[in-house]
Amino acid sequence: MESFAVRQPIYNAKKNKVAYQFNFMNQDQLSNKCILSAVFRGKFDSKQLHEVLVKAGLEQLSENKTAIIPFERNTLKGGS
């Protein structure tokens, strides 16, 4: 499954970039714009999430600004 990320800047009232929203999509299901629960193989793990985001280059892509990342509803259940 090949995935890619799209980033959308978020501006404040003064037109300054204050954050980015990241949508992670896979080529099989483009309408699903979040990190899939399948990435965590059934059990959410915060360390694994960190690894996924580091591999995606989130720090560089977010330019050290706040990052907003949507998840599938069931992804965070049973997390550690």
Side-chain angles (χ1 to χ4, degrees), residues 1-4 25-32 36:
M1 169 174 52
E2 187 173 327
S3 298
F4 56 95
M25 296 179 271
N26 69 62
Q27 70 182 36
D28 301 329
Q29 194 175 19
L30 292 175
S31 63
N32 192 353
L36 303 172

Side-chain angles (χ1 to χ4, degrees), residues 28-43:
D28 301 329
Q29 194 175 19
L30 292 175
S31 63
N32 192 353
K33 297 178 181 170
C34 58
I35 293 180
L36 303 172
S37 57
V39 169
F40 302 103
R41 294 175 182 80
K43 183 169 185 201

Side-chain angles (χ1 to χ4, degrees), residues 22 51-63:
F22 289 88
E51 290 174 16
V52 168
L53 297 177
V54 166
K55 284 182 184 177
L58 189 69
E59 285 185 24
Q60 292 172 337
L61 293 172
S62 67
E63 299 173 356

Side-chain angles (χ1 to χ4, degrees), residues 10-23:
I10 298 173
Y11 296 92
N12 64 11
K14 296 180 181 179
K15 307 284 186 201
N16 295 323
K17 243 184 274 182
V18 294
Y20 285 100
Q21 177 172 334
F22 289 88
N23 293 313

Side-chain angles (χ1 to χ4, degrees), residues 51-79:
E51 290 174 16
V52 168
L53 297 177
V54 166
K55 284 182 184 177
L58 189 69
E59 285 185 24
Q60 292 172 337
L61 293 172
S62 67
E63 299 173 356
N64 294 319
K65 294 182 177 15
T66 300
I68 300 167
I69 303 168
F71 292 89
E72 280 185 331
R73 180 174 288 230
N74 295 326
T75 300
L76 303 178
K77 287 185 179 178

